[in-house]
Amino acid sequence: MIYFKDGEFLNEDQIQVSADDRGYAFGDGVYEVIKVYDGKLYTAKEHLERLVESAEKIRINLPYTMEELTEIVESLQSENQLTLGHIYLQVTRGVAPRAHQFPENSVPVVMGYAVESQRPLQNLEMGAAMKSVEDMRWLRCDIKSLNLLGNVLAKQDAIEAGCQEALFVRDGLVTEGASSNVFGIKDGVLHTHPANHFILNGITRRVVLQLANELEIPVLEKEFTLAEALDMDEFFFTSTNAEITPVVMMDQQPIGQGVPGPLTRKLQSAFNRQIPQLTAAGHAEERESNGPAS
Ligand code: DCS
């Protein structure tokens, strides 16, 4: 695999990170995960704009322009000949002896790599299970920070309970998943948490809201309780890698009929239509089997 670090493309024998990197000591940095379908970056502009915003929010001056960042992720895709998977890109505040306050002259460290991965076809088709957990994260969940301890603990809790994703609940209200946004459908209306500091405004979330608009599905960006979530007709979570994953079980109770619902299927089909077409042999058929055609 070819990595990018500080202006260079390196292989795994060449890449080195410092023990004094503030990402390592404090999680003092931000990151993005950008999907690649059929060798093409998907919504890269939106992801890189969010990276710039996240960096600004924690007062890291990115050493690259949007154009340069775009070139970096495009090169990571091409250098690694990645057709299906994702690009990971992170920026830390830099290298300095460990002290909490910002170092005076540190230079941000930008590092990226490419990961080959399949789409989660089983979950997309059959649906997944969620477990609710207390949202004990900090109050700036809008920042895509490297500090993911709350998310890590929640995900592990869900996995140990035999679920695929955790459902964060803060003061009785559903916020998002451990690494996803969540949506419920009740009486034909799509419900999701408003994009404020309690959630990350996911790029997939934005795509889903756009698709709902095009499909004339009414949307309500308003908080709902865990009890209301359990009472939804349909439920799903979204992320760059999870796409639109139907949720059929929550806290061991079935959602709706316990199978992916019709509006979820409609959104999945619309989603599939706007991602770069997978031309590699086999993938086209897999895509077609991902839910009934609308
Ligand atoms: N909320 C949280 C807490 C996330 O970590 C993510 C993505 C999302 C929502 C969904 O955002 P996107 O739709 O922009 O992906 N998490 C990334 C991650 O850590 N791995 O893959 C995606």
Side-chain angles (χ1 to χ4, degrees), residues 33-279:
V33 177
I34 307 175
K35 191 80 195 168
V36 171
Y37 293 106
D38 196 30
K40 297 174 195 75
L41 291 154
Y42 173 70
T43 57
K45 181 168 179 280
E46 289 80 356
H47 281 280
L48 294 175
E49 279 172 0
R50 187 172 63 185
L51 184 73
V52 171
E53 283 165 23
S54 291
E56 279 172 1
K57 285 173 179 173
I58 67 165
R59 297 162 62 192
I60 287 179
N61 289 323
L62 276 181
Y64 300 115
T65 61
M66 269 296 286
E67 289 68 33
E68 288 167 330
L69 289 170
T70 306
E71 250 177 67
I72 292 166
V73 291
E74 281 175 352
S75 302
L76 278 170
Q77 181 276 322
S78 57
E79 292 278 334
N80 288 288
Q81 299 178 2
L82 182 66
T83 49
L84 184 60
H86 64 260
I87 304 294
Y88 177 84
L89 189 64
Q90 72 165 45
V91 186
T92 74
R93 199 177 304 279
V95 176
R98 187 179 180 281
H100 286 61
Q101 69 273 23
F102 296 175
E104 265 172 30
N105 296 311
S106 69
V107 179
V109 174
V110 180
M111 188 279 294
Y113 53 81
V115 177
E116 213 180 280
S117 63
Q118 297 301 310
R119 296 176 69 200
L121 295 175
Q122 163 98 7
N123 286 353
L124 291 174
E125 180 56 28
M126 308 296 288
M130 292 189 97
K131 178 181 191 275
S132 63
V133 300
E134 189 192 338
D135 191 348
M136 53 173 90
R137 298 173 302 163
W138 70 332
L139 298 174
R140 291 307 305 278
C141 299
D142 55 309
I143 300 171
K144 203 160 170 58
S145 157
L146 289 179
N147 237 299
L148 289 170
L149 200 44
N151 309 64
V152 166
L153 293 174
K155 181 80 88 179
Q156 184 62 21
D157 205 353
I159 299 290
E160 286 178 5
C163 298
Q164 286 77 33
E165 176 61 311
L167 180 70
F168 277 130
V169 181
R170 194 191 286 268
D171 297 330
L173 300 174
V174 167
T175 52
E176 61 180 338
S179 60
S180 60
N181 293 112
V182 297
F183 294 78
I185 297 168
K186 187 70 184 171
D187 300 328
V189 178
L190 186 62
H191 296 252
T192 197
H193 195 287
N196 59 21
H197 60 284
F198 289 119
I199 68 160
L200 181 77
N201 187 2
I203 306 303
T204 322
R205 176 186 182 278
R206 301 178 208 178
V207 170
V208 165
L209 292 178
Q210 174 67 36
L211 294 174
N213 205 296
E214 288 165 20
L215 296 168
E216 297 183 357
I217 299 170
V219 172
L220 192 58
E221 288 184 72
K222 187 172 176 294
E223 295 86 349
F224 52 84
T225 63
L226 176 58
E228 286 170 318
L230 289 163
D231 192 44
M232 294 282 182
D233 302 324
E234 305 179 36
F235 207 86
F236 58 85
F237 61 84
T238 65
S239 79
T240 296
N241 281 317
E243 302 182 1
I244 300 174
T245 297
V247 176
V248 293
M249 292 287 277
M250 190 182 289
D251 290 347
Q252 301 186 323
Q253 294 179 49
I255 297 290
Q257 304 302 310
V259 291
L263 286 180
T264 307
R265 287 297 192 214
K266 217 170 158 178
L267 286 163
Q268 284 183 312
S269 298
F271 185 87
N272 288 342
R273 282 195 294 273
Q274 51 85 59
I275 57 178
Q277 296 303 304
L278 304 172
T279 50

